Amino acid sequence: MPHIWLRAESKPFERRVALAPAAARELVAAGFTVSVEEYGNRVFDIRQYREAGCRIVPYVSWPDAPPDCYVLGLKELPEPLPALRHRHIYFAHAYKQQSGWKKLLGKFADDDGQLFDLEFLLDENNQRIAAFGYWAGFAGAALGLMNWLAQPDTLERVNSYRDKDQLLAELLNLSEKSYRRPSGKRPKVIIIGAKGRCGRGATELCRTLEIETTLWDLEETVQGGPFPEILEHDIFLNCVFVQSSIRPFLTTRFLQQPRRLAAIVDISCDPYGSYNPLPIYNRCTTFGRPAIRLRNDPVLDLIAIDHLPSMLPKESSEDYSAQLLVALLTLPDGRTWQRALKLFEDKIAQARLTETG
């Protein structure tokens, strides 16, 4: 039976996991070996994994793990990269020609490792097996509102929350204080990609807080941007999962027009590739520094954090892990993994072709 090695995350502020204790327990019951690295910043206590029947192993010991292990994580591997001789399952952000994609794939090829990218684990209908989208949308909408309420100041460091109830309580408190000001202004939000997982999460946050919301999806955007309607809202939430080049929703020149828009949250967050529908910025933001100020008069801020669900690590990890478990139980020969391996091989070939010109 397969051996899954849950590695520690190296990304700052990342508290989520790809495998929650409940899912780990099911894998162990099915005959899998599950090793879990010690890691103090993980949302779940290591004792929960031990009680689930997992082997507890030292922090960042996966480079020395048995060669037949599946090394499971979420975000990027630590730099400098050790030997990539294992089968790695994580979000590599390399298949859409993002920054450093050829170097990473070349490293896998040179070290005889394999990559099963979580973003491209697909079923027979070409739909993703598991996604954090709902919680990314929920957290992104929350940050958009926090940022708008903080203006003209810039939103400061953001931490994770115990659960969504704690987050909602804080948002309600901040909103009530703001709405009692003499202006009494309430925000108007536009969500593009409202019918997807991410859009549904963003919509749920706005509905819970009774925020006026405009919902757009493919029907409203099929003709291509830029879209002047975005400028007529206070907050813009981009929830579109882009897989090909499209006309941008906003451009730097377009933002020079008169606008009501004061806050943008690029929840999809892919500034390093050629598919970015918001070519108005070129780097991600962080929980330590959430917002980039694009304009001063009037203010316009942009948030682009590429692991937003870490704001709600418990719910997002439990949800994602339950989705992923279905596929993990089919290792090593399930069709999902066969498709993922074929895609990896195709991308290796593509990287080599671009190297040779």
Side-chain angles (χ1 to χ4, degrees):
M1 294 296 290
H3 183 174
I4 294 177
W5 191 285
L6 183 65
R7 63 173 170 86
E9 298 293 332
S10 59
K11 190 177 186 71
F13 299 97
E14 183 56 83
R15 302 194 64 211
R16 295 173 300 165
V17 292
L19 189 67
R25 185 185 300 277
E26 292 199 40
L27 288 173
V28 171
F32 285 64
T33 299
V34 180
S35 297
V36 180
E37 291 185 354
E38 294 180 305
Y39 177 51
N41 201 39
R42 188 182 289 128
V43 66
F44 300 108
D45 192 279
I46 196 69
R47 290 174 296 182
Q48 295 175 266
Y49 289 100
R50 184 178 288 109
E51 292 167 0
C54 302
R55 298 170 62 244
I56 309 304
V57 294
Y59 176 70
V60 193
S61 54
W62 64 262
D64 299 317
D68 62 343
C69 283
Y70 290 87
V71 179
L72 176 62
L74 284 178
K75 303 303 290 185
E76 58 264 29
L77 296 167
E79 293 284 353
L81 288 171
L84 300 181
R85 60 192 178 93
H86 298 91
R87 292 167 286 189
H88 284 263
I89 307 172
Y90 74 108
F91 290 99
H93 301 298
Y95 285 0
K96 293 188 283 188
Q97 301 186 14
Q98 293 100 323
S99 176
W101 72 284
K102 286 187 285 188
K103 175 186 174 184
L104 177 63
L105 294 182
K107 178 71 171 169
F108 268 107
D110 292 343
D111 295 347
D112 294 323
Q114 294 175 346
L115 168 63
F116 299 88
D117 196 305
L118 287 172
E119 186 177 349
F120 295 89
L121 287 186
L122 308 175
D123 61 19
E124 284 89 357
N125 299 315
N126 209 36
Q127 299 297 310
R128 292 175 68 178
I129 293 293
F132 279 101
Y134 178 89
W135 294 105
F138 195 94
L143 276 180
L145 179 60
M146 286 180 180
N147 186 87
W148 182 82
L149 291 170
Q151 290 174 341
D153 296 328
T154 303
L155 186 64
E156 297 180 352
R157 176 190 175 109
V158 178
N159 294 312
S160 62
Y161 289 80
R162 180 188 66 247
D163 52 35
K164 75 170 188 177
D165 291 338
Q166 183 187 30
L167 171 59
L168 288 171
E170 180 172 320
L171 286 171
L172 285 169
N173 181 53
L174 291 172
S175 299
E176 289 174 0
K177 288 181 179 178
S178 177
Y179 299 161
R180 286 198 296 267
R181 294 174 184 170
S183 63
K185 183 181 177 184
R186 294 172 179 265
K188 184 179 180 182
V189 176
I190 182 169
I191 301 172
I192 297 185
K195 292 183 179 179
R197 289 171 173 166
C198 179
R200 291 197 297 271
T203 301
E204 179 63 24
L205 186 283
C206 292
R207 286 177 176 167
T208 301
L209 298 177
E210 299 181 347
I211 296 172
E212 181 182 355
T213 309
T214 300
L215 305 179
W216 275 21
D217 208 84
L218 183 61
E219 296 84 355
E220 292 82 8
T221 58
V222 67
Q223 79 276 14
F227 300 110
E229 291 88 347
I230 296 175
L231 304 181
E232 299 167 4
H233 294 75
D234 297 285
I235 302 171
F236 165 40
L237 307 176
N238 176 41
C239 299
V240 177
F241 178 56
V242 178
Q243 300 188 71
S244 60
S245 182
I246 62 174
R247 292 174 59 184
F249 298 159
L250 290 174
T251 65
T252 300
R253 183 176 180 180
F254 199 69
L255 288 174
Q256 295 173 1
Q257 302 179 56
R259 57 179 166 78
R260 176 174 175 175
L261 185 66
I264 300 169
V265 185
D266 188 6
I267 300 171
S268 299
C269 192
D270 193 8
Y272 306 117
S274 58
Y275 299 162
N276 182 16
L278 295 177
I280 56 177
Y281 75 109
N282 57 13
R283 63 179 175 86
C284 291
T285 63
T286 67
F287 284 106
R289 298 190 66 180
I292 300 170
R293 178 138 295 179
L294 300 178
R295 294 284 187 277
N296 283 306
D297 189 20
V299 297
L300 174 61
D301 296 325
L302 181 139
I303 294 171
I305 298 173
D306 65 358
H307 58 136
L308 278 169
S310 198
M311 198 170 163
L312 292 167
K314 183 177 184 295
E315 286 115 329
S316 63
S317 295
E318 289 174 340
D319 182 19
Y320 185 83
S321 181
Q323 297 174 56
L324 184 62
L325 175 65
V326 178
L328 291 175
L329 286 167
T330 70
L331 279 170
D333 300 320
R335 291 183 180 179
T336 291
W337 305 102
Q338 293 175 5
R339 283 189 290 268
L341 181 57
K342 176 61 167 59
L343 180 60
F344 167 67
E345 292 169 347
D346 290 345
K347 294 297 182 180
I348 290 287
Q350 182 184 5
R352 285 173 172 163
L353 184 63
T354 58
E355 286 286 352
T356 60

